[in-house]
Amino acid sequence: MLFSTKAEYGVRLMVELGRQPGSAPISLNTVAEAERLPLSYLEHLVAKLRKADLVTSTRGAHGGYRLAKPAELITMDAVVEALEGQIAPMECFHETPEGKVLCSHEFDGDRACSTKLLWTRVQGGVTKALAGTTLAELVEFSAPGGRTEAAIVNAA
Amino acid sequence: MLFSTKAEYGVRLMVELGRQPGSAPISLNTVAEAERLPLSYLEHLVAKLRKADLVTSTRGAHGGYRLAKPAELITMDAVVEALEGQIAPMECFHETPEGKVLCSHEFDGDRACSTKLLWTRVQGGVTKALAGTTLAELVEFSAPGGRTEAAIVNAA
DNA sequence: GCAAAACCGACCGCTTCGGTAGGATTTAAG
DNA sequence: CTTAAATCCTACCGAAGCGGTCGGTTTTGC
């Protein structure tokens, strides 16, 4: 599995928040029941989303969570990264500001790392998919009269 | 991390086999020293590659391993899948012969799974990268006078 | 004051990861 | 025939992460 349920549950949580049009905050309990997920586990996940400034919280009775910005401006790479940590195909694959750096096994420098090409391509494919998908799309797609399966193919 | 060192080491192992032109089998010990990887761990990995018919073995003194087919015909999705198991972005994301099936949380059927679109795109991006890369490319890329970094971008 | 809610941190059983260890079996070379 | 090299097989092991659970504290509206 590329990702754990942290990403799965967290994305569902975000979609649930994105579905509500109003300005009233939504309690985690509401989300937990709607998605049938354990409340106390969602607490851990929403904490990560809050630290990443993807949701805001209001405490006390009738409190809850809201999206920190419009769903159209939230891309899924930020969401998944907040939940799962840095997204890289491999432990030794580090991104530095100035391009990529490999590798703990790339010794001697007498020849290129044999796996660099592969992981770079994989990295590109994943980030393109994640960064190219907005929360708004997921909300629309999963709506009762949402877009059809064809939308998946079209947006390749 | 999307993949563990099983994929990393296993791919290196395959590249090392692909580098040798001759028909003589290469011992794991040779590979282990060349790539500075623990021999006894490589044994586990090569067993998976053998079960997946990606390498063949000859036992006894001067034995070792060879690629089961030309490097041009070995795509990395088969290699990674042999090492890491089925590649899917998420536990609940199952591929059936007739398309995709979701989801353990997609209850009631009254609305689409909110994460299906996302994971389908991720899946597509990863498999495209893996299936679109052959072992021969990695061998060439990592050769002493191999192709430059630009090859990575070009082959997007 | 009470109840609802966000917050926080500790704990727990389970599986995987990365690796080690010890052997058994096969085979080529001397 | 013996020995060394190599594949093959199974069991084990510490560490870490996963998927929660629990108990409690704090904040806030009614």
Side-chain angles (χ1 to χ4, degrees), chain A residues 42-65:
Chain A
L42 282 183
E43 287 184 22
H44 292 300
L45 303 184
V46 81
K48 300 188 181 207
L49 294 171
R50 190 167 47 82
K51 279 168 194 157
D53 285 318
L54 290 167
V55 304
T56 60
S57 65
T58 66
R59 306 186 58 167
H62 297 95
Y65 298 90

Side-chain angles (χ1 to χ4, degrees), chain A residues 72-134:
Chain A
E72 292 78 19
L73 301 183
I74 298 178
T75 55
M76 300 315 292
D77 60 333
V79 175
V80 172
E81 188 160 330
L83 294 160
E84 299 271 352
Q86 274 261 339
I87 296 168
M90 190 60 56
E91 185 65 42
C92 63
F93 192 93
H94 295 93
E95 271 198 339
T96 60
E98 66 286 356
K100 316 283 170 43
V101 178
L102 284 184
C103 172
S104 36
H105 290 99
E106 191 171 22
F107 33 78
D108 303 348
D110 61 345
R111 67 185 180 206
C113 173
S114 57
T115 66
K116 190 175 187 174
L117 174 60
L118 180 62
W119 303 140
T120 302
R121 287 182 181 175
V122 170
Q123 171 89 324
V126 172
T127 52
K128 189 176 169 189
L130 290 176
T133 304
T134 67

Side-chain angles (χ1 to χ4, degrees), chain B residues 52-132:
Chain B
D53 285 317
L54 291 167
V55 304
T56 60
S57 66
T58 67
R59 304 186 60 167
H62 297 93
Y65 298 90
R66 294 185 199 82
L67 297 181
K69 41 185 173 179
E72 292 78 18
L73 300 183
I74 299 179
T75 54
M76 300 315 293
D77 61 334
V79 176
V80 173
E81 188 160 330
L83 294 160
E84 300 271 353
Q86 274 261 338
I87 297 169
M90 190 60 55
E91 185 65 43
C92 63
F93 192 92
H94 295 87
E95 272 199 338
T96 60
E98 67 287 354
K100 317 284 167 46
V101 178
L102 285 184
C103 173
S104 34
H105 290 100
E106 189 171 23
F107 32 77
D108 302 347
D110 59 346
R111 66 186 179 206
C113 174
S114 57
T115 66
K116 189 174 186 175
L117 174 60
L118 180 63
W119 303 139
T120 302
R121 287 182 181 175
V122 170
Q123 171 87 325
V126 172
T127 53
K128 190 177 168 188
L130 290 176

Side-chain angles (χ1 to χ4, degrees), chain B residues 27-28 43-44 50 57 59 65:
Chain B
S27 79
L28 260 199
E43 287 185 21
H44 292 301
R50 190 168 45 83
S57 66
R59 304 186 60 167
Y65 298 90

